[in-house]
Amino acid sequence: MIEQKSVLVRIEGRVQGVWFRGWTTAEAQRRGLNGWVRNRRDGSVEALFSGPVDRVNDMLAACATGPTAARVSGVYPKPADPPQHPGFVGLPTL
């Protein structure tokens, strides 16, 4: 059985208005991850990534750079429960 991992991550820096949510959704779907991504009113992006450990770790590493226009200053993951539903989606700003 493949070991699974779920993390709730906050991404800070210039991460809104640079297509970070769309990029995250595409990258997470490409990796076959479950979860969601949303902007937060404080200017950060928050995401839940769930799936095989190596794919989640790869996604976290990718978030440290993000899309071309982004300037990431920090990626802060913490353990989380897996999402209730399969697939990866964008959510409204919180």
Side-chain angles (χ1 to χ4, degrees), residues 63-91:
C63 284
T65 303
T68 306
R71 296 295 175 262
V72 178
S73 62
V75 177
Y76 306 100
K78 61 183 179 181
D81 292 328
Q84 299 290 326
H85 304 284
F88 197 92
V89 297
L91 298 178

Side-chain angles (χ1 to χ4, degrees), residues 25-63:
T25 299
E27 290 295 313
Q29 288 173 345
R30 187 171 66 78
R31 289 171 174 83
L33 298 178
N34 296 311
W36 49 262
V37 61
R38 64 183 168 203
N39 285 342
R40 295 193 54 95
R41 286 192 173 84
D42 67 3
S44 66
V45 169
E46 182 177 52
L48 175 66
F49 300 126
S50 185
V53 171
D54 60 336
R55 293 183 192 178
V56 171
N57 289 343
D58 185 56
M59 187 69 209
L60 289 171
C63 284

